Amino acid sequence: MSRIFLTMALMAVLAGCGGGGGNSGSPRNLDNACSILKQKPKYTRAFKRTERRWGVPVHVQMATIHQESRFVSNARTPFRFALGVIPMGRQSSAFGYSQALDGTWDEYLKSTGKRRAKRNDIADATDFMGWYMNQTRDRTGVALTDTRNQYLAYHEGQTGYLRGSYNRKAWLLAVADKVEARGQMYQSQLARCRVRGL
């Protein structure tokens, strides 16, 4: 009995330790692009700056961030547990709005010279996505407007995408379809809403 209680207490403590559970001021109503941008004017500026610099449409950025972090600035992957109770570290080094991995983030910093960029800053996270998606277009030919395939390459990496690794993952293809549908929904909403700076 005490062992079960100890296990439950340990899991409760770990769940509260910065695992993306804290919303860090994420917007309400994530199904409404206009509502998100009205609540977070900083997001609007970040998305538009990335669109101007890298050519990635706002709705593609928003759909990808929704899937990766639900707009939680300090999102992290869940913990792995041995025997169901012993914490073994996180599933990966992915962190922040864009869920950029440590190694890919380091490449971005070197390539752009943005040494002070942070993954939990929306402007830096969207700039990273623009940089990465341009690399995807250049390496794979996937258009910047192609939400579904940009997401697949974002998830699998450009080399994995070129190898077609996603074709062996039915669950990932289903997720990519959802990201595409959300991108279309956001695009339609953004065409009708009035948000300053959009």
Side-chain angles (χ1 to χ4, degrees):
M1 180 73 163
S2 62
R3 193 170 163 193
I4 292 171
F5 177 76
L6 181 62
T7 300
M8 289 174 54
L10 177 63
M11 292 183 78
V13 168
L14 290 172
C17 291
N23 273 354
S24 294
S26 63
R28 300 175 303 280
N29 193 2
L30 297 181
D31 291 333
N32 187 317
C34 302
S35 173
I36 291 169
L37 298 183
K38 283 177 183 172
Q39 290 172 60
K40 302 285 185 176
K42 187 176 180 182
Y43 286 11
T44 307
R45 292 190 296 273
F47 292 134
K48 289 304 289 183
R49 190 178 306 123
T50 294
E51 184 177 54
R52 283 191 303 271
R53 180 176 185 191
W54 298 106
V56 180
V58 172
H59 68 274
V60 175
Q61 298 173 58
M62 291 184 74
T64 304
I65 286 181
H66 176 273
Q67 179 57 41
E68 291 299 287
S69 67
R70 299 298 192 270
F71 295 90
V72 175
S73 66
N74 62 350
R76 293 183 184 273
T77 57
F79 281 102
R80 293 173 296 146
F81 292 92
L83 305 174
V85 292
I86 303 167
M88 302 292 290
R90 296 194 181 273
Q91 292 175 359
S92 80
S93 63
F95 175 71
Y97 287 109
S98 63
Q99 288 295 279
L101 298 168
D102 288 352
T104 315
W105 185 258
D106 289 343
E107 284 179 45
Y108 163 72
L109 296 179
K110 288 175 190 170
S111 174
T112 61
K114 297 182 86 175
R115 295 289 177 193
R116 295 187 178 184
K118 296 178 181 175
R119 288 179 280 184
N120 62 351
D121 182 295
I122 190 67
D124 294 331
T126 59
D127 192 69
F128 165 81
M129 287 173 49
W131 169 82
Y132 191 85
M133 290 180 175
N134 269 259
Q135 286 194 335
T136 296
R137 180 198 58 198
D138 295 346
R139 288 193 63 196
T140 69
V142 173
L144 297 175
T145 55
D146 185 344
T147 311
R148 182 179 187 275
N149 285 295
Q150 279 287 349
Y151 177 74
L152 287 170
Y154 195 84
H155 188 277
E156 295 294 275
Q158 292 141 4
T159 302
Y161 180 84
L162 287 169
R163 289 181 184 154
S165 59
Y166 52 88
N167 286 318
R168 297 184 296 278
K169 301 175 181 178
W171 63 270
L172 179 58
L173 292 172
V175 169
D177 289 341
K178 288 180 182 177
V179 175
E180 168 70 19
R182 180 166 294 274
Q184 290 175 357
M185 178 182 74
Y186 281 165
Q187 183 179 27
S188 175
Q189 292 167 345
L190 291 169
R192 295 192 307 268
C193 71
R194 294 176 184 156
V195 176
R196 176 178 267 177
L198 193 61

